[in-house]
Amino acid sequence: MNVVEQDAVVARGIGKTFASRAGAVTALESIDLTVTAGEFVSLIGPSGCGKSTLLRLIGDLDQPSTGELSVFGRSARVAREAQDYGIAFQQAGLLPWRDVTGNVELPLELHGVGKRERAARAADLLALVGLADFAGHFPHQLSGGMQQRVAIARSLAERPRLLLMDEPFGALDEMTRERMQTELVRICKESSAAVVFVTHSIPEAVFLSQRVVVMSPRPGRITAVVPVQIADERTEGLREDASFFAAVTAVREALHGSGAIPAEPTTRGVELR
Ligand code: ADP
Ligand code: MG
């Protein structure tokens, strides 16, 4: 056995081209990225720069056209089959006819985990996301933020070592969103999962991440990787700290091409959605 801890994600020279009636679309080109075990990395950039595509490739929901991708030292396919992943998207995607417990238990049920173990795991996860009192509620009885917490609990059900999240808080109001970010930081710490997190929000990326990966469109490329130099302990108060503002500025400058690592000219003046 290799005693060195495997990186969560290693992408080398990843490219992705989609064929369309209007011709080929290069969604990603020459993507090199390593995410270490337990690391929180955000992908940020204007619409169409390939963030979702990259996440889908890592999650084996689609295949790269070129390059090599490994997840904990194995192919994305094998990692998916080994249930290394938890996935959460912008829409909570809960089953309306199942209660909260039933939704969280679903992946366990699909993989043949016994009833008693499922119930225990669901109870633990609901406590973790602060929904212990809502176990018997149905999705329509919950707020958007609560539904999203159920989705996060579900994504953690199989103790994934890697969480893939595509704008999971995109549909939430600002207050709820900040609360969810604080929750997510705590949850990730407790589960020690690595996270690849897609967002349009610079403060969100900074608050959550150890590194922010800045991308530009046509073709989708990584133009900068910004290490987030703020306290490891991500408390609410940190949002008003000078170090936080400095980190937000560093990411913004990288996005607009005036950071330490020059971005493609195409990112200049590009508005975030
Ligand atoms: P982002 O998530 O950063 O907004 P996407 O990854 O969704 O960007 O898309 C990147 C580019 O790839 C866009 O130009 C988009 O139109 C194109 N694209 C994404 N998925 C497909 C697909 N299934 N077929 C054709 N083009 C696609
Ligand atoms: Mg997207």
Side-chain angles (χ1 to χ4, degrees):
M1 275 293 286
N2 192 350
V3 289
V4 178
E5 195 166 18
Q6 296 269 13
D7 287 324
V9 180
V10 179
R12 289 288 167 262
I14 292 292
K16 178 66 182 178
T17 304
F18 292 105
S20 78
R21 289 216 181 113
V25 176
T26 305
L28 293 173
E29 194 174 89
S30 309
I31 300 290
D32 290 314
L33 178 67
T34 300
V35 179
T36 60
E39 188 183 23
F40 200 120
V41 169
S42 287
L43 308 180
I44 197 166
S47 284
C49 70
K51 305 180 294 295
S52 296
T53 301
L54 181 54
L55 207 67
R56 290 172 54 79
L57 297 181
I58 297 170
D60 190 45
L61 300 169
D62 204 345
Q63 274 64 56
S65 311
T66 58
E68 306 269 324
L69 185 63
S70 73
V71 177
F72 296 108
R74 39 198 183 181
S75 73
R77 168 67 44 85
V78 172
R80 179 167 59 76
E81 284 164 1
Q83 293 143 43
D84 276 344
Y85 301 114
I87 297 182
F89 294 134
Q90 181 166 353
Q91 301 303 326
L94 304 178
L95 298 178
W97 58 88
R98 282 187 165 229
D99 66 9
V100 164
T101 296
N103 270 285
V104 175
E105 283 188 3
L106 183 66
L108 301 171
E109 220 172 295
L110 292 174
H111 289 115
V113 176
K115 199 170 173 180
R116 190 173 299 182
E117 194 183 332
R118 281 197 323 251
R121 180 81 184 130
D124 282 352
L125 287 163
L126 291 178
L128 182 70
V129 299
L131 288 177
D133 293 341
F134 295 87
H137 281 58
F138 286 84
H140 75 270
Q141 299 173 304
L142 305 177
S143 70
M146 291 159 90
Q147 291 184 18
Q148 208 48 263
R149 278 191 275 167
V150 176
I152 290 170
R154 181 185 56 193
S155 73
L156 292 168
E158 299 184 278
R159 296 187 174 80
R161 295 189 285 165
L162 176 61
L163 272 176
L164 303 177
M165 309 184 96
D166 197 345
E167 303 187 48
F169 307 147
L172 306 179
D173 65 80
E174 197 58 27
M175 295 281 290
T176 310
R177 194 165 176 159
E178 290 192 355
R179 255 206 334 272
M180 293 293 297
Q181 291 164 8
T182 309
E183 287 276 290
L184 182 61
V185 167
R186 180 181 59 79
I187 290 166
C188 290
K189 209 170 220 172
E190 287 178 27
S191 67
S192 68
V195 186
V196 183
F197 189 97
V198 170
T199 180
H200 273 95
S201 161
I202 298 173
E204 178 166 271
V206 166
F207 186 78
L208 293 171
S209 314
Q210 267 103 57
R211 288 187 298 149
V212 178
V213 173
V214 177
M215 297 176 68
S216 74
R218 286 175 294 279
R221 286 198 181 128
I222 293 175
T223 52
V225 178
V226 183
V228 177
Q229 285 160 349
I230 58 175
D232 281 343
E233 193 80 22
R234 306 286 162 102
T235 57
E236 278 304 311
L238 194 55
R239 294 182 192 278
E240 308 197 340
D241 197 87
S243 64
F244 185 77
F245 295 128
V248 166
T249 302
V251 173
R252 182 170 292 126
E253 285 181 350
L255 258 170
H256 292 280
S258 57
I261 306 163
E264 296 287 304
T266 48
T267 61
R268 254 173 235 284
V270 172
E271 286 272 306
L272 287 183
R273 189 170 66 184

